[in-house]
Every structure is written in C-alpha cells, then in structure tokens.
Amino acid sequence: LNTFWQVVSFRMTVVDENGDKKSLRSATRYLRNDLREIEQNAVKGSVLIFDDIKLIGKNRGIVKTGRPIVLTK
C-alpha cells in the first residue's frame, strides 16, 4: 500500500515436498508466464519463496532489499 517503494526485481523459488527446487528471477514486479506456470504446477504442500526483492524509492533512486515472503501452497 506504500506507493513510495516499487518492486523492480525478485527471485521466486518453489521447493516441493522432496526438497527439489526450481528458481527463477523476474526483472519486473510482475509474475511472468513462466513464473505463473511453475507456481500453478507446484504440488500441494510446496513452499514458495520470494526473496532478493529489490525496491526502488520514488525520490532520489534509493535502492533497498525487501524482506522475503514465504508461502505454502
């Protein structure tokens, strides 16, 4: 909700119940089609990790790293 910061890139990793990982990077704030496909095909119980989230501030181009987001499907 804070419009001062905008996501400019992030990494999404899906870890299934066997510990197998798939990781992709997005150079935008959006889930590209390949990221959506991996998320949709993840089996129930998989963990989705969004990390290395790069944020840029509205003023003076301040760059920060956001906190990871961890979700269970």
Side-chain angles (χ1 to χ4, degrees):
L1 297 176
N2 182 346
T3 58
F4 183 82
W5 296 101
Q6 180 176 342
V7 174
V8 291
S9 70
F10 64 93
R11 177 177 51 218
M12 183 181 91
T13 303
V14 177
V15 183
D16 67 18
E17 294 175 330
N18 298 325
D20 296 329
K21 289 193 238 183
K22 291 181 185 173
S23 186
L24 290 173
R25 173 165 284 294
S26 177
T28 71
R29 64 183 181 187
Y30 301 108
L31 283 176
R32 297 184 325 248
N33 289 341
D34 51 349
L35 294 168
R36 284 185 192 281
E37 185 177 323
I38 288 175
E39 185 272 329
Q40 289 172 351
N41 292 334
V43 295
K44 187 174 181 177
S46 294
V47 177
L48 288 84
I49 304 166
F50 297 87
D51 64 349
D52 198 19
I53 302 167
K54 301 288 187 219
L55 305 162
I56 190 163
K58 189 189 242 183
N59 302 332
R60 293 182 272 148
I62 301 168
V63 177
K64 298 272 186 179
T65 301
R67 286 184 273 172
I69 299 169
V70 180
L71 305 170
T72 303
K73 183 165 182 180

